[in-house]
Amino acid sequence: MVDLERIKATSVAYFRSFDEGATLRHHFRHTDEEGGLWYFEAVPDHGELLAIKQAELTPAGRLHRYSWEHLEDERGFLADQAIDPEEDPLEAIPAEEFQRVWTQ
């Protein structure tokens, strides 16, 4: 039988360690097909960028945040795939822009 609480605790610890220990952070924005804005804070991990914080600002103005403190809900979840700025339609943004959205 799968121990879902143990798996969640492992995931929380994994993302938390990156958030608390990262010295280099990258910030990106993406506009989806419906006009929603997605914001990512990512850190390097074995040659890839791992999202450690993610915010979605819907066209209706609702803000959904995901991080080690809140991995998922009925609306969505923290990205589980590496971010690739070369392949994904992402725009690099200043850390201040990400923080402005994250803290609203």
Side-chain angles (χ1 to χ4, degrees), residues 15-90:
F15 287 107
R16 183 178 183 175
S17 70
F18 280 103
D19 187 24
E20 292 178 346
T23 56
L24 178 61
R25 296 170 189 256
H26 302 270
H27 299 88
F28 302 98
R29 177 180 55 214
H30 168 71
T31 304
D32 66 24
E33 305 81 37
E34 291 85 37
L37 294 172
W38 292 80
Y39 294 86
F40 299 94
E41 181 173 79
V43 297
D45 178 35
H46 296 96
E48 297 183 319
L49 288 176
L50 174 70
I52 59 168
K53 291 182 182 170
Q54 170 183 318
E56 177 196 9
L57 185 58
T58 69
R62 296 234 21 216
L63 181 64
H64 303 277
R65 290 185 209 94
Y66 304 98
S67 70
W68 65 267
E69 296 176 288
H70 181 75
L71 289 174
E72 64 182 311
D73 57 27
E74 65 283 343
R75 173 85 175 130
F77 55 90
L78 183 62
D80 58 357
Q81 301 293 316
I83 293 177
D84 186 350
E86 302 287 323
E87 298 288 325
D88 300 326
L90 300 171

